[in-house]
Amino acid sequence: MSIEMEHDWQAVFATPKPKIGERAKTNLLLLLSLLWVCFGLIGHTPWKPDELQTMSIVKHYVLGGHWAVPTLAGVPDIDNPPLYYLTAAFFTKLLSPLLPMHDAARIVTGLWMGLALTLVGMAGRELWGIGSGRQATLIFIGSIGLVFSAHMLTPDVAGLAGYAMAFYGLALAPRRAIRAGLLLGTGAGIAFFSKGVQPLEVILACALLLPLLFIHWRQRSYLGVLLIAAATASPWIAPWLLTLKHQFPALHEHWLTSAGLGNLSFLYFLKTLSWYAWPALPLAVWTLWRTKPDHASVELPLLFLLILLAVLGTSASSRDINALPMLLPIAMLATPAVETLRRSAASALDWFGLMLFGTFGFLIWLGWFAMMSGLPAKLAERMHKLSPTYTPGFSLVAFIFAALVTLVWVGVVFKTNKRSNRAVVTDWAVGMTMVWGLAMTLWLPWLDASKSYQGVFSGMRHAMPSTYSCIIGRDMGEGQRAALDYHIDVAVVQGKSSSAGNCNLYLIQDERDRAKVDLGPGWKLIWQGKRPSDRHESFRLFQRG
């Protein structure tokens, strides 16, 4: 590889030397990121829908299932390739018996998110200069739509890390061809091996269109970037596809045919971004308004965002979590606005964030106090109604962490330099960390008691006969089948008819026991139940005498 390939267009991305205090600011960002990532990773059972399905698949791998075929409750499920599940299974084995299986598996979510945050910062620094990487990361952390998904057991987190790595590779391409090719190929491979064809389409389209549309990537060295990326991505893609094709041809055919176009959902994603991407979205709009359209640092994230919207809007299901990768280019576009936003607008955005997070923080503390003391009585009654199985108990460790994170937020609010626009993104990031930290310390047992299936299905297990042939499941969702498999080792056979096969148990999921059931002679109801806080799902178990 020639020196020219390595150093072309260095001048385009030339940056000043670090200022005094940069290391201290970086260390504070690392501490904030660590707190943001760690809160909520352990201490609760899998929640529906994604976590339950993930844990059923991880359990399959821990018990020795074939690496190429994710299996949910005994049924192959290859909607997502197995990278995330395999890494979660590895940590489950590594940390057993120190942590429950779901907590050990969730550690890998923190590692994937840590990688994603690092790459977001590096991409922001590459596009906008030294110091901008911190701002990009703070904007990313402060995004309202990121915090819940980033702490869950879901392949989307690994897919996000792959997107971020590929994006950083594209940003680096005009200046460091070899490194950019390795990052681009590895990121594309990780994204594919976590989420399938869709991220590969986005990354490939962006990589090919950049030199066609924009002069900054129209260099001889860019062809080398693409060739290196192709060679680097192949080991992530080829083994799984070849294994499926030769060892599981039916699954391979199903995977190919299920990767087609879906419903048009552009409007859904645009509406979702209106709240999902705050505070990055208004900052990104300001950047587009103020910056010349041919600026290299605008061209890449804008193209990446438009391609994402085109692909997601035609092939993805309408779920909020599918908008997760859009936060990456929006945060990149929002980064320079931190310096150029008018003081009046910056102050308004800052005060909105302070009021928002201050209100949520106060309500979380108030709800916790009501659960512990019974005062105010109406609020305590409401909290109990929403999670009837929760028994209040004081945890000194949770209280200390909650108090500390609250004091840190108060200190940041009063200590940050309000004359600087950077206070906006700092306050948002710290505020988001504070609210999430309070929810995952003070309210975590209450939330877990409300959202967990462990109690209801444990009751079903006690009511089941010691021996049975099999269980027919009627109208069972994937999350519920996964919960049965993970919590009580029960697999159901989907079916409508009670006469299917030789099964002598029949489990029905419906809404509030409203479905009329006529199973014929010989069947009797032996158990019924639901999560106490659930207003919709209920379960009934019948046995053939």
Side-chain angles (χ1 to χ4, degrees):
M1 189 69 64
S2 66
I3 295 177
E4 183 181 1
M5 288 185 67
E6 280 296 310
H7 298 284
D8 274 351
W9 290 88
Q10 277 187 323
V12 174
F13 295 97
T15 54
K17 294 182 179 180
K19 300 177 181 179
I20 297 175
E22 293 295 306
R23 179 171 295 181
K25 294 176 183 177
T26 301
N27 290 338
L28 290 174
L29 174 61
L30 291 175
L31 178 60
L32 177 64
S33 300
L34 182 64
L35 291 173
W36 183 88
V37 167
C38 289
F39 279 127
L41 280 187
I42 63 173
H44 65 87
T45 57
W47 294 343
K48 84 166 194 178
D50 295 327
E51 288 206 316
L52 288 165
Q53 297 174 34
T54 295
M55 284 314 302
S56 178
I57 295 172
V58 170
K59 179 182 174 182
H60 154 78
Y61 281 127
V62 171
L63 296 177
H66 195 286
W67 72 269
V69 184
T71 301
L72 191 157
V75 179
D77 184 348
I78 57 172
D79 289 343
N80 295 311
L83 177 61
Y84 179 85
Y85 308 122
L86 291 171
T87 55
F90 171 77
F91 273 85
T92 297
K93 292 182 177 181
L94 182 67
L95 299 177
S96 176
L98 297 177
L99 292 174
M101 184 181 291
H102 47 268
D103 282 344
R106 210 180 281 115
I107 294 296
V108 82
T109 291
L111 296 177
W112 282 116
M113 270 311 305
L115 176 61
L117 293 180
T118 301
L119 292 163
V120 166
M122 295 174 75
R125 184 180 188 274
E126 183 64 29
L127 289 178
W128 300 106
I130 290 177
S132 298
R134 285 193 302 272
Q135 305 309 314
T137 306
L138 289 171
I139 292 170
F140 201 63
I141 288 176
S143 299
I144 292 175
L146 178 67
V147 64
F148 183 76
S149 299
H151 294 84
M152 297 294 104
L153 286 158
T154 170
D156 293 85
V157 177
L160 179 63
Y163 270 118
M165 185 176 293
F167 184 93
Y168 178 45
L170 291 171
L172 198 63
R175 196 169 66 87
R176 287 285 188 269
I178 295 176
R179 191 184 307 171
L182 294 173
L183 287 166
L184 176 59
T186 304
I190 289 174
F192 169 83
F193 206 18
S194 303
K195 290 294 295 177
V197 172
Q198 190 178 92
L200 200 59
E201 293 173 343
V202 173
I203 294 168
L204 182 61
C206 190
L208 294 178
L209 287 175
L210 276 174
L212 296 178
L213 298 177
F214 308 123
I215 192 173
H216 300 294
W217 282 266
R218 201 173 300 156
Q219 308 300 316
R220 287 178 297 174
S221 61
Y222 192 76
L223 178 59
V225 173
L226 296 181
L227 293 175
I228 294 171
T232 308
S234 297
W236 294 91
I237 299 172
W240 184 64
L241 290 180
L242 292 175
T243 301
L244 276 187
K245 182 176 181 179
H246 294 292
Q247 297 188 30
F248 307 94
L251 291 178
H252 181 258
E253 183 66 24
H254 171 74
W255 182 79
L256 291 177
T257 56
S258 62
L261 294 178
N263 297 323
L264 295 179
S265 49
F266 297 104
L267 185 59
Y268 171 83
F269 284 108
L270 291 175
K271 289 181 178 178
T272 299
L273 289 176
S274 65
W275 64 268
Y276 199 83
W278 270 79
L281 187 61
L283 296 174
V285 172
W286 177 258
T287 297
L288 294 175
W289 177 262
R290 288 292 303 270
T291 309
K292 293 181 179 180
D294 62 345
H295 195 293
S297 298
V298 170
E299 291 167 346
L300 171 59
L302 182 58
L303 177 63
F304 204 87
L305 177 62
L306 292 176
I307 293 173
L308 267 171
L309 182 60
V311 174
L312 294 175
T314 56
S315 60
S317 60
S318 298
R319 296 183 61 206
D320 294 348
I321 197 171
N322 289 324
L324 202 59
M326 291 189 186
L327 295 178
L328 172 63
I330 292 176
M332 293 299 118
L333 289 171
T335 299
V338 175
E339 302 294 345
T340 62
L341 194 64
R342 292 175 181 172
R343 281 300 307 141
S344 58
S347 297
L349 187 60
D350 191 23
W351 277 108
F352 175 69
L354 295 179
M355 294 299 295
L356 177 69
F357 297 122
T359 301
F360 274 107
F362 171 76
L363 292 176
I364 293 173
W365 273 109
L366 181 62
W368 174 82
F369 182 79
M371 288 187 285
M372 295 298 108
S373 66
L375 298 173
K378 288 187 178 180
L379 180 58
E381 180 182 353
R382 180 64 176 170
M383 298 293 286
H384 175 72
K385 185 177 180 180
L386 292 174
S387 186
T389 59
Y390 169 63
T391 302
F394 178 78
S395 170
L396 180 61
V397 174
F399 176 79
I400 290 174
F401 272 107
L404 286 175
V405 75
T406 304
L407 290 175
V408 169
W409 177 75
V410 172
V412 169
V413 167
F414 286 99
K415 291 292 184 180
T416 50
N417 181 10
K418 300 302 180 183
R419 291 175 297 178
S420 170
N421 284 2
R422 296 191 175 193
V424 177
V425 295
T426 301
D427 290 346
W428 269 84
V430 176
M432 181 63 72
T433 304
M434 184 267 292
V435 169
W436 178 252
L438 290 181
M440 292 296 103
T441 51
L442 300 180
W443 280 23
L444 185 59
W446 178 83
L447 288 168
D448 195 35
S450 172
K451 297 172 75 67
S452 176
Y453 280 95
Q454 188 170 18
V456 62
F457 286 142
S458 294
M460 172 182 149
R461 190 70 183 89
H462 289 304
M464 292 171 59
S466 56
T467 59
Y468 60 93
S469 56
C470 58
I471 303 178
I472 303 170
R474 172 174 161 181
D475 299 327
M476 298 290 295
E478 285 193 345
Q480 291 73 24
R481 290 195 299 113
L484 285 166
D485 175 58
Y486 179 65
H487 287 306
I488 61 174
D489 293 314
V490 167
V492 297
V493 179
Q494 289 281 54
K496 291 286 186 181
S497 172
S498 59
S499 61
N502 296 316
C503 296
N504 57 353
L505 293 178
Y506 192 76
L507 178 63
I508 298 176
Q509 175 187 335
D510 59 12
E511 185 175 345
R512 301 179 183 178
D513 303 326
R514 289 179 178 177
K516 295 182 179 180
V517 181
D518 184 13
L519 302 181
W523 288 92
K524 65 176 181 178
L525 179 68
I526 62 172
W527 173 85
Q528 59 182 346
K530 68 182 188 70
R531 294 183 298 174
S533 61
D534 202 319
R535 299 181 179 180
H536 301 287
E537 293 175 0
S538 65
F539 304 91
R540 284 176 284 174
L541 181 66
F542 295 83
Q543 181 181 8
R544 179 154 41 196

